[in-house]
PDB file of all heavy atoms in Angstrom:
ATOM      1  N   ARG A 675     -15.397  30.919  -1.097  1.00 86.00           N
ATOM      2  CA  ARG A 675     -15.552  32.300  -0.615  1.00 86.00           C
ATOM      3  C   ARG A 675     -16.585  32.388   0.494  1.00 86.00           C
ATOM      4  O   ARG A 675     -16.456  33.209   1.403  1.00 86.00           O
ATOM      5  CB  ARG A 675     -15.951  33.209  -1.784  1.00 86.00           C
ATOM      6  CG  ARG A 675     -14.853  33.354  -2.821  1.00 86.00           C
ATOM      7  CD  ARG A 675     -15.179  34.417  -3.857  1.00 86.00           C
ATOM      8  NE  ARG A 675     -14.342  34.246  -5.044  1.00 86.00           N
ATOM      9  CZ  ARG A 675     -14.789  33.829  -6.216  1.00 86.00           C
ATOM     10  NH1 ARG A 675     -16.076  33.586  -6.378  1.00 86.00           N
ATOM     11  NH2 ARG A 675     -13.972  33.679  -7.235  1.00 86.00           N
ATOM     12  N   GLY A 676     -17.599  31.554   0.435  1.00 84.00           N
ATOM     13  CA  GLY A 676     -18.608  31.564   1.483  1.00 84.00           C
ATOM     14  C   GLY A 676     -18.382  30.507   2.553  1.00 84.00           C
ATOM     15  O   GLY A 676     -19.047  30.523   3.584  1.00 84.00           O
ATOM     16  N   HIS A 677     -17.454  29.578   2.300  1.00 82.00           N
ATOM     17  CA  HIS A 677     -17.174  28.489   3.241  1.00 82.00           C
ATOM     18  C   HIS A 677     -15.659  28.319   3.342  1.00 82.00           C
ATOM     19  O   HIS A 677     -15.094  27.342   2.851  1.00 82.00           O
ATOM     20  CB  HIS A 677     -17.820  27.174   2.770  1.00 82.00           C
ATOM     21  CG  HIS A 677     -19.273  27.296   2.446  1.00 82.00           C
ATOM     22  ND1 HIS A 677     -19.737  27.848   1.266  1.00 82.00           N
ATOM     23  CD2 HIS A 677     -20.382  26.945   3.156  1.00 82.00           C
ATOM     24  CE1 HIS A 677     -21.066  27.818   1.257  1.00 82.00           C
ATOM     25  NE2 HIS A 677     -21.480  27.287   2.389  1.00 82.00           N
ATOM     26  N   PRO A 678     -14.958  29.264   3.973  1.00 84.00           N
ATOM     27  CA  PRO A 678     -13.485  29.270   3.940  1.00 84.00           C
ATOM     28  C   PRO A 678     -12.838  28.000   4.474  1.00 84.00           C
ATOM     29  O   PRO A 678     -11.711  27.685   4.109  1.00 84.00           O
ATOM     30  CB  PRO A 678     -13.121  30.476   4.824  1.00 84.00           C
ATOM     31  CG  PRO A 678     -14.340  31.326   4.848  1.00 84.00           C
ATOM     32  CD  PRO A 678     -15.504  30.397   4.733  1.00 84.00           C
ATOM     33  N   TRP A 679     -13.543  27.274   5.362  1.00 78.00           N
ATOM     34  CA  TRP A 679     -12.904  26.091   5.957  1.00 78.00           C
ATOM     35  C   TRP A 679     -12.605  24.995   4.947  1.00 78.00           C
ATOM     36  O   TRP A 679     -11.789  24.128   5.213  1.00 78.00           O
ATOM     37  CB  TRP A 679     -13.762  25.527   7.091  1.00 78.00           C
ATOM     38  CG  TRP A 679     -15.113  25.051   6.667  1.00 78.00           C
ATOM     39  CD1 TRP A 679     -15.424  23.823   6.175  1.00 78.00           C
ATOM     40  CD2 TRP A 679     -16.331  25.792   6.689  1.00 78.00           C
ATOM     41  NE1 TRP A 679     -16.768  23.748   5.886  1.00 78.00           N
ATOM     42  CE2 TRP A 679     -17.348  24.934   6.200  1.00 78.00           C
ATOM     43  CE3 TRP A 679     -16.666  27.088   7.082  1.00 78.00           C
ATOM     44  CZ2 TRP A 679     -18.674  25.346   6.095  1.00 78.00           C
ATOM     45  CZ3 TRP A 679     -17.980  27.484   6.986  1.00 78.00           C
ATOM     46  CH2 TRP A 679     -18.973  26.634   6.486  1.00 78.00           C
ATOM     47  N   VAL A 680     -13.250  25.010   3.773  1.00 82.00           N
ATOM     48  CA  VAL A 680     -12.945  23.959   2.797  1.00 82.00           C
ATOM     49  C   VAL A 680     -11.518  24.094   2.287  1.00 82.00           C
ATOM     50  O   VAL A 680     -10.983  23.158   1.685  1.00 82.00           O
ATOM     51  CB  VAL A 680     -13.937  23.937   1.603  1.00 82.00           C
ATOM     52  CG1 VAL A 680     -15.352  23.748   2.077  1.00 82.00           C
ATOM     53  CG2 VAL A 680     -13.801  25.164   0.729  1.00 82.00           C
ATOM     54  N   ALA A 681     -10.882  25.254   2.533  1.00 82.00           N
ATOM     55  CA  ALA A 681      -9.482  25.420   2.121  1.00 82.00           C
ATOM     56  C   ALA A 681      -8.565  24.437   2.843  1.00 82.00           C
ATOM     57  O   ALA A 681      -7.445  24.184   2.402  1.00 82.00           O
ATOM     58  CB  ALA A 681      -9.025  26.860   2.383  1.00 82.00           C
ATOM     59  N   ASP A 682      -9.017  23.869   3.980  1.00 82.00           N
ATOM     60  CA  ASP A 682      -8.221  22.847   4.680  1.00 82.00           C
ATOM     61  C   ASP A 682      -8.150  21.540   3.901  1.00 82.00           C
ATOM     62  O   ASP A 682      -7.333  20.678   4.202  1.00 82.00           O
ATOM     63  CB  ASP A 682      -8.832  22.548   6.054  1.00 82.00           C
ATOM     64  CG  ASP A 682      -8.647  23.695   7.038  1.00 82.00           C
ATOM     65  OD1 ASP A 682      -7.756  24.535   6.802  1.00 82.00           O
ATOM     66  OD2 ASP A 682      -9.399  23.755   8.030  1.00 82.00           O
ATOM     67  N   TYR A 683      -9.037  21.391   2.916  1.00 84.00           N
ATOM     68  CA  TYR A 683      -9.165  20.115   2.208  1.00 84.00           C
ATOM     69  C   TYR A 683      -9.044  20.358   0.717  1.00 84.00           C
ATOM     70  O   TYR A 683      -9.640  21.275   0.167  1.00 84.00           O
ATOM     71  CB  TYR A 683     -10.518  19.460   2.537  1.00 84.00           C
ATOM     72  CG  TYR A 683     -10.776  19.423   4.023  1.00 84.00           C
ATOM     73  CD1 TYR A 683     -11.614  20.366   4.620  1.00 84.00           C
ATOM     74  CD2 TYR A 683     -10.143  18.494   4.837  1.00 84.00           C
ATOM     75  CE1 TYR A 683     -11.823  20.369   5.989  1.00 84.00           C
ATOM     76  CE2 TYR A 683     -10.353  18.484   6.206  1.00 84.00           C
ATOM     77  CZ  TYR A 683     -11.195  19.428   6.779  1.00 84.00           C
ATOM     78  OH  TYR A 683     -11.387  19.428   8.135  1.00 84.00           O
ATOM     79  N   GLU A 684      -8.283  19.516   0.074  1.00 88.00           N
ATOM     80  CA  GLU A 684      -7.970  19.719  -1.342  1.00 88.00           C
ATOM     81  C   GLU A 684      -8.971  18.999  -2.239  1.00 88.00           C
ATOM     82  O   GLU A 684      -9.253  17.807  -2.051  1.00 88.00           O
ATOM     83  CB  GLU A 684      -6.554  19.199  -1.633  1.00 88.00           C
ATOM     84  CG  GLU A 684      -6.088  19.522  -3.034  1.00 88.00           C
ATOM     85  CD  GLU A 684      -4.666  19.040  -3.286  1.00 88.00           C
ATOM     86  OE1 GLU A 684      -4.017  18.590  -2.316  1.00 88.00           O
ATOM     87  OE2 GLU A 684      -4.228  19.100  -4.445  1.00 88.00           O
ATOM     88  N   LEU A 685      -9.523  19.742  -3.198  1.00 94.00           N
ATOM     89  CA  LEU A 685     -10.358  19.126  -4.223  1.00 94.00           C
ATOM     90  C   LEU A 685      -9.441  18.373  -5.181  1.00 94.00           C
ATOM     91  O   LEU A 685      -8.405  18.888  -5.597  1.00 94.00           O
ATOM     92  CB  LEU A 685     -11.136  20.199  -4.980  1.00 94.00           C
ATOM     93  CG  LEU A 685     -12.197  19.695  -5.965  1.00 94.00           C
ATOM     94  CD1 LEU A 685     -13.399  19.144  -5.211  1.00 94.00           C
ATOM     95  CD2 LEU A 685     -12.622  20.808  -6.910  1.00 94.00           C
ATOM     96  N   SER A 686      -9.812  17.152  -5.543  1.00 96.00           N
ATOM     97  CA  SER A 686      -8.922  16.333  -6.364  1.00 96.00           C
ATOM     98  C   SER A 686      -9.706  15.597  -7.457  1.00 96.00           C
ATOM     99  O   SER A 686     -10.071  14.427  -7.288  1.00 96.00           O
ATOM    100  CB  SER A 686      -8.182  15.326  -5.475  1.00 96.00           C
ATOM    101  OG  SER A 686      -7.329  14.523  -6.257  1.00 96.00           O
ATOM    102  N   PRO A 687      -9.972  16.275  -8.582  1.00 97.00           N
ATOM    103  CA  PRO A 687     -10.667  15.592  -9.687  1.00 97.00           C
ATOM    104  C   PRO A 687      -9.874  14.380 -10.174  1.00 97.00           C
ATOM    105  O   PRO A 687      -8.659  14.443 -10.334  1.00 97.00           O
ATOM    106  CB  PRO A 687     -10.736  16.677 -10.773  1.00 97.00           C
ATOM    107  CG  PRO A 687     -10.626  17.969 -10.032  1.00 97.00           C
ATOM    108  CD  PRO A 687      -9.700  17.685  -8.884  1.00 97.00           C
ATOM    109  N   LYS A 688     -10.580  13.287 -10.380  1.00 97.00           N
ATOM    110  CA  LYS A 688      -9.947  12.051 -10.855  1.00 97.00           C
ATOM    111  C   LYS A 688     -11.031  11.137 -11.402  1.00 97.00           C
ATOM    112  O   LYS A 688     -12.220  11.403 -11.244  1.00 97.00           O
ATOM    113  CB  LYS A 688      -9.182  11.366  -9.722  1.00 97.00           C
ATOM    114  CG  LYS A 688      -9.995  11.138  -8.468  1.00 97.00           C
ATOM    115  CD  LYS A 688      -9.120  10.651  -7.343  1.00 97.00           C
ATOM    116  CE  LYS A 688      -9.832  10.722  -5.997  1.00 97.00           C
ATOM    117  NZ  LYS A 688     -10.065  12.103  -5.545  1.00 97.00           N
ATOM    118  N   SER A 689     -10.616  10.053 -12.029  1.00 97.00           N
ATOM    119  CA  SER A 689     -11.578   9.135 -12.625  1.00 97.00           C
ATOM    120  C   SER A 689     -11.093   7.703 -12.432  1.00 97.00           C
ATOM    121  O   SER A 689     -10.195   7.252 -13.135  1.00 97.00           O
ATOM    122  CB  SER A 689     -11.744   9.432 -14.121  1.00 97.00           C
ATOM    123  OG  SER A 689     -12.637   8.521 -14.712  1.00 97.00           O
ATOM    124  N   VAL A 690     -11.686   7.037 -11.451  1.00 98.00           N
ATOM    125  CA  VAL A 690     -11.410   5.610 -11.266  1.00 98.00           C
ATOM    126  C   VAL A 690     -12.716   4.838 -11.484  1.00 98.00           C
ATOM    127  O   VAL A 690     -12.811   4.004 -12.376  1.00 98.00           O
ATOM    128  CB  VAL A 690     -10.819   5.325  -9.876  1.00 98.00           C
ATOM    129  CG1 VAL A 690     -10.592   3.823  -9.687  1.00 98.00           C
ATOM    130  CG2 VAL A 690      -9.500   6.069  -9.706  1.00 98.00           C
ATOM    131  N   VAL A 691     -13.741   5.157 -10.682  1.00 97.00           N
ATOM    132  CA  VAL A 691     -15.046   4.529 -10.893  1.00 97.00           C
ATOM    133  C   VAL A 691     -15.557   4.843 -12.298  1.00 97.00           C
ATOM    134  O   VAL A 691     -15.998   3.956 -13.035  1.00 97.00           O
ATOM    135  CB  VAL A 691     -16.056   5.016  -9.837  1.00 97.00           C
ATOM    136  CG1 VAL A 691     -17.459   4.493 -10.161  1.00 97.00           C
ATOM    137  CG2 VAL A 691     -15.635   4.549  -8.449  1.00 97.00           C
ATOM    138  N   ARG A 692     -15.471   6.119 -12.675  1.00 97.00           N
ATOM    139  CA  ARG A 692     -15.955   6.513 -14.008  1.00 97.00           C
ATOM    140  C   ARG A 692     -15.140   5.830 -15.101  1.00 97.00           C
ATOM    141  O   ARG A 692     -15.690   5.343 -16.097  1.00 97.00           O
ATOM    142  CB  ARG A 692     -15.889   8.035 -14.158  1.00 97.00           C
ATOM    143  CG  ARG A 692     -16.389   8.526 -15.509  1.00 97.00           C
ATOM    144  CD  ARG A 692     -16.545  10.031 -15.554  1.00 97.00           C
ATOM    145  NE  ARG A 692     -17.150  10.468 -16.804  1.00 97.00           N
ATOM    146  CZ  ARG A 692     -17.821  11.597 -16.967  1.00 97.00           C
ATOM    147  NH1 ARG A 692     -17.981  12.422 -15.927  1.00 97.00           N
ATOM    148  NH2 ARG A 692     -18.342  11.925 -18.134  1.00 97.00           N
ATOM    149  N   ASP A 693     -13.839   5.780 -14.920  1.00 96.00           N
ATOM    150  CA  ASP A 693     -12.954   5.147 -15.900  1.00 96.00           C
ATOM    151  C   ASP A 693     -13.308   3.670 -16.064  1.00 96.00           C
ATOM    152  O   ASP A 693     -13.401   3.155 -17.179  1.00 96.00           O
ATOM    153  CB  ASP A 693     -11.509   5.318 -15.428  1.00 96.00           C
ATOM    154  CG  ASP A 693     -10.489   4.825 -16.441  1.00 96.00           C
ATOM    155  OD1 ASP A 693     -10.697   5.036 -17.648  1.00 96.00           O
ATOM    156  OD2 ASP A 693      -9.486   4.229 -16.021  1.00 96.00           O
ATOM    157  N   MET A 694     -13.528   2.980 -14.942  1.00 95.00           N
ATOM    158  CA  MET A 694     -13.882   1.562 -14.997  1.00 95.00           C
ATOM    159  C   MET A 694     -15.216   1.363 -15.713  1.00 95.00           C
ATOM    160  O   MET A 694     -15.367   0.448 -16.534  1.00 95.00           O
ATOM    161  CB  MET A 694     -13.959   0.999 -13.573  1.00 95.00           C
ATOM    162  CG  MET A 694     -14.257  -0.487 -13.511  1.00 95.00           C
ATOM    163  SD  MET A 694     -14.367  -1.104 -11.802  1.00 95.00           S
ATOM    164  CE  MET A 694     -12.659  -1.014 -11.298  1.00 95.00           C
ATOM    165  N   TYR A 695     -16.177   2.240 -15.413  1.00 94.00           N
ATOM    166  CA  TYR A 695     -17.502   2.116 -16.027  1.00 94.00           C
ATOM    167  C   TYR A 695     -17.436   2.411 -17.522  1.00 94.00           C
ATOM    168  O   TYR A 695     -18.008   1.680 -18.343  1.00 94.00           O
ATOM    169  CB  TYR A 695     -18.469   3.075 -15.342  1.00 94.00           C
ATOM    170  CG  TYR A 695     -19.913   2.892 -15.754  1.00 94.00           C
ATOM    171  CD1 TYR A 695     -20.711   1.938 -15.127  1.00 94.00           C
ATOM    172  CD2 TYR A 695     -20.478   3.667 -16.763  1.00 94.00           C
ATOM    173  CE1 TYR A 695     -22.030   1.750 -15.489  1.00 94.00           C
ATOM    174  CE2 TYR A 695     -21.798   3.492 -17.146  1.00 94.00           C
ATOM    175  CZ  TYR A 695     -22.574   2.530 -16.501  1.00 94.00           C
ATOM    176  OH  TYR A 695     -23.879   2.353 -16.882  1.00 94.00           O
ATOM    177  N   GLU A 696     -16.719   3.476 -17.892  1.00 92.00           N
ATOM    178  CA  GLU A 696     -16.646   3.836 -19.309  1.00 92.00           C
ATOM    179  C   GLU A 696     -15.871   2.806 -20.120  1.00 92.00           C
ATOM    180  O   GLU A 696     -16.152   2.606 -21.299  1.00 92.00           O
ATOM    181  CB  GLU A 696     -16.012   5.222 -19.466  1.00 92.00           C
ATOM    182  CG  GLU A 696     -16.929   6.339 -19.006  1.00 92.00           C
ATOM    183  CD  GLU A 696     -16.363   7.728 -19.234  1.00 92.00           C
ATOM    184  OE1 GLU A 696     -15.140   7.919 -19.042  1.00 92.00           O
ATOM    185  OE2 GLU A 696     -17.141   8.619 -19.607  1.00 92.00           O
ATOM    186  N   ARG A 697     -14.910   2.157 -19.493  1.00 90.00           N
ATOM    187  CA  ARG A 697     -14.177   1.096 -20.183  1.00 90.00           C
ATOM    188  C   ARG A 697     -14.940  -0.231 -20.142  1.00 90.00           C
ATOM    189  O   ARG A 697     -14.497  -1.208 -20.744  1.00 90.00           O
ATOM    190  CB  ARG A 697     -12.787   0.914 -19.556  1.00 90.00           C
ATOM    191  CG  ARG A 697     -11.839   2.075 -19.775  1.00 90.00           C
ATOM    192  CD  ARG A 697     -10.464   1.787 -19.203  1.00 90.00           C
ATOM    193  NE  ARG A 697      -9.589   2.934 -19.289  1.00 90.00           N
ATOM    194  CZ  ARG A 697      -8.882   3.262 -20.370  1.00 90.00           C
ATOM    195  NH1 ARG A 697      -8.966   2.509 -21.457  1.00 90.00           N
ATOM    196  NH2 ARG A 697      -8.101   4.330 -20.376  1.00 90.00           N
ATOM    197  N   ALA A 698     -16.073  -0.234 -19.413  1.00 89.00           N
ATOM    198  CA  ALA A 698     -16.907  -1.434 -19.286  1.00 89.00           C
ATOM    199  C   ALA A 698     -16.090  -2.631 -18.813  1.00 89.00           C
ATOM    200  O   ALA A 698     -16.216  -3.743 -19.312  1.00 89.00           O
ATOM    201  CB  ALA A 698     -17.593  -1.749 -20.611  1.00 89.00           C
ATOM    202  N   MET A 699     -15.230  -2.385 -17.809  1.00 90.00           N
ATOM    203  CA  MET A 699     -14.376  -3.451 -17.281  1.00 90.00           C
ATOM    204  C   MET A 699     -14.888  -3.927 -15.937  1.00 90.00           C
ATOM    205  O   MET A 699     -15.441  -3.140 -15.160  1.00 90.00           O
ATOM    206  CB  MET A 699     -12.938  -2.948 -17.119  1.00 90.00           C
ATOM    207  CG  MET A 699     -12.205  -2.725 -18.428  1.00 90.00           C
ATOM    208  SD  MET A 699     -10.508  -2.147 -18.109  1.00 90.00           S
ATOM    209  CE  MET A 699      -9.816  -2.244 -19.761  1.00 90.00           C
ATOM    210  N   ASN A 700     -14.678  -5.204 -15.644  1.00 89.00           N
ATOM    211  CA  ASN A 700     -14.913  -5.670 -14.284  1.00 89.00           C
ATOM    212  C   ASN A 700     -13.644  -5.432 -13.467  1.00 89.00           C
ATOM    213  O   ASN A 700     -12.633  -4.934 -13.975  1.00 89.00           O
ATOM    214  CB  ASN A 700     -15.360  -7.137 -14.255  1.00 89.00           C
ATOM    215  CG  ASN A 700     -14.330  -8.084 -14.862  1.00 89.00           C
ATOM    216  OD1 ASN A 700     -13.123  -7.903 -14.685  1.00 89.00           O
ATOM    217  ND2 ASN A 700     -14.800  -9.111 -15.568  1.00 89.00           N
ATOM    218  N   PHE A 701     -13.684  -5.804 -12.196  1.00 92.00           N
ATOM    219  CA  PHE A 701     -12.581  -5.486 -11.291  1.00 92.00           C
ATOM    220  C   PHE A 701     -11.266  -6.118 -11.745  1.00 92.00           C
ATOM    221  O   PHE A 701     -10.225  -5.451 -11.801  1.00 92.00           O
ATOM    222  CB  PHE A 701     -12.937  -5.958  -9.876  1.00 92.00           C
ATOM    223  CG  PHE A 701     -11.908  -5.609  -8.835  1.00 92.00           C
ATOM    224  CD1 PHE A 701     -11.889  -4.359  -8.242  1.00 92.00           C
ATOM    225  CD2 PHE A 701     -10.956  -6.538  -8.432  1.00 92.00           C
ATOM    226  CE1 PHE A 701     -10.946  -4.034  -7.277  1.00 92.00           C
ATOM    227  CE2 PHE A 701     -10.008  -6.228  -7.469  1.00 92.00           C
ATOM    228  CZ  PHE A 701     -10.006  -4.969  -6.890  1.00 92.00           C
TER     229      PHE A 701
END
Side-chain angles (χ1 to χ4, degrees):
R675 293 189 198 110
H677 308 78
W679 62 86
V680 302
D682 289 340
Y683 311 100
E684 187 178 352
L685 188 73
S686 180
K688 52 188 167 291
S689 178
V690 178
V691 173
R692 181 170 186 155
D693 186 39
M694 183 181 289
Y695 188 85
E696 288 184 321
R697 292 184 186 276
M699 289 181 171
N700 60 38
F701 184 83

